[in-house]
Amino acid sequence: EPEVTQTPSHQVTQMGQEVILRCVPISNHLYFYWYRQILGQKVEFLVSFYNNEISEKSEIFDDQFSVERPDGSNFTLKIRSTKLEDSAMYFCASSNPGWGSQHFGDGTRLSIL
Amino acid sequence: KNEVEQSPQNLTAQEGEFITINCSYSVGISALHWLQQHPGGGIVSLFMLSSGKKKHGRLIATINIQEKHSSLHITASHPRDSAVYICAVPPHSGGGADGLTFGKGTHLIIQP
């Protein structure tokens, strides 16, 4: 069965550094999402992406965050200047139109030192 | 914004027991998602349902759209069912690239 893949599985970064999290969505999906989960808390929506532009974003997704689909397969989340509170598990998901089920990757654990 | 409440937060049961996890939400939706998160952190989609009932193996999900309530049942529970079960909903009844709002999850432990 097709999967959403995320790399790296664990990223350790110094505070203030830029970090890029990468995702390869399922190939025929058209909607892409990023979520985050701070340790011990619930999963929170960050941003959705469709037709090469942001469809929806939450209040968490401020100017420090950006998303990009640089080619036909990758979907990236960039955090420009990381803060300690950015430490979390970041999940990528993809789905198809018509209220299709969202398929999640295994996540990238981001640790900010 | 849709608010999602799950109960119970924690549930410990013996192997073989019938398990019920409940979810209620505040705003009418197109479909509700049940997800499973294992200790390693990965999230697996179990069900997406918009009405009635769905069954997959020992898992059954039901939804009552009028009452804004859904339940996830596990029959003949097994220790491998131990995980966090999460209910998630879109913000409204429309379709599109809607980010989901997640419940806090139910931490289920099945003891042998």
Side-chain angles (χ1 to χ4, degrees):
Chain A
E1 187 177 315
E3 292 181 341
V4 175
T5 56
Q6 289 186 242
T7 54
S9 55
H10 191 190
Q11 173 83 44
V12 182
T13 302
Q14 292 288 331
M15 187 172 61
Q17 295 295 306
E18 175 183 285
V19 66
I20 297 176
L21 309 182
R22 302 181 192 280
C23 170
V24 178
I26 293 174
S27 61
N28 64 344
H29 284 182
L30 299 178
Y31 294 159
F32 314 115
Y33 312 82
W34 283 102
Y35 296 89
R36 80 171 186 191
Q37 185 178 33
I38 295 170
L39 187 64
Q41 298 187 21
K42 64 180 180 179
V43 178
E44 300 172 290
F45 168 68
L46 292 178
V47 65
S48 60
F49 192 87
Y50 170 67
N51 201 25
N52 284 319
E53 60 183 24
I54 289 174
S55 179
E56 185 188 1
K57 60 182 181 180
S58 73
E59 57 272 15
I60 302 169
F61 193 87
D62 62 22
D63 292 344
Q64 292 299 309
F65 291 89
S66 62
V67 289
E68 195 176 36
R69 188 155 163 81
D71 53 44
S73 59
N74 290 283
F75 179 50
T76 61
L77 175 69
K78 182 194 290 186
I79 309 175
R80 272 180 256 284
S81 178
T82 50
K83 304 188 276 281
L84 293 176
E85 53 264 38
D86 294 326
S87 294
M89 182 78 99
Y90 288 80
F91 292 100
C92 173
S94 68
S95 71
N96 260 336
W99 305 298
S101 182
Q102 292 187 24
H103 295 250
F104 288 80
D106 287 338
T108 293
R109 184 169 300 281
L110 178 62
S111 300
I112 307 300
L113 305 179
Chain B
K1 184 182 171 181
N2 224 328
E3 302 291 335
V4 181
E5 293 290 333
Q6 276 188 246
S7 63
Q9 281 191 302
N10 297 285
L11 179 56
T12 300
Q14 294 298 121
E15 183 174 355
E17 285 189 43
F18 181 81
I19 304 299
T20 296
I21 299 169
N22 296 298
C23 174
S24 59
Y25 52 93
S26 58
V27 176
I29 57 172
S30 53
L32 177 143
H33 301 248
W34 280 103
L35 307 148
Q36 181 190 57
Q37 186 171 32
H38 276 282
I43 295 173
V44 174
S45 180
L46 298 174
F47 294 103
M48 187 182 77
L49 68 165
S50 55
S51 65
K53 178 165 112 173
K54 282 191 175 180
K55 185 174 189 290
H56 185 251
R58 294 180 294 105
L59 300 178
I60 303 166
T62 63
I63 189 168
N64 185 319
I65 294 291
Q66 286 73 31
E67 294 188 3
K68 299 187 180 63
H69 181 269
S70 176
S71 294
L72 176 68
H73 306 285
I74 305 175
T75 62
S77 58
H78 190 277
R80 65 174 174 267
D81 297 325
S82 299
V84 178
Y85 292 85
I86 305 171
C87 168
V89 298
H92 48 71
S93 58
D98 294 322
L100 298 175
T101 298
F102 286 69
K104 291 182 180 178
T106 294
H107 188 191
L108 175 66
I109 297 173
I110 304 297
Q111 294 178 335

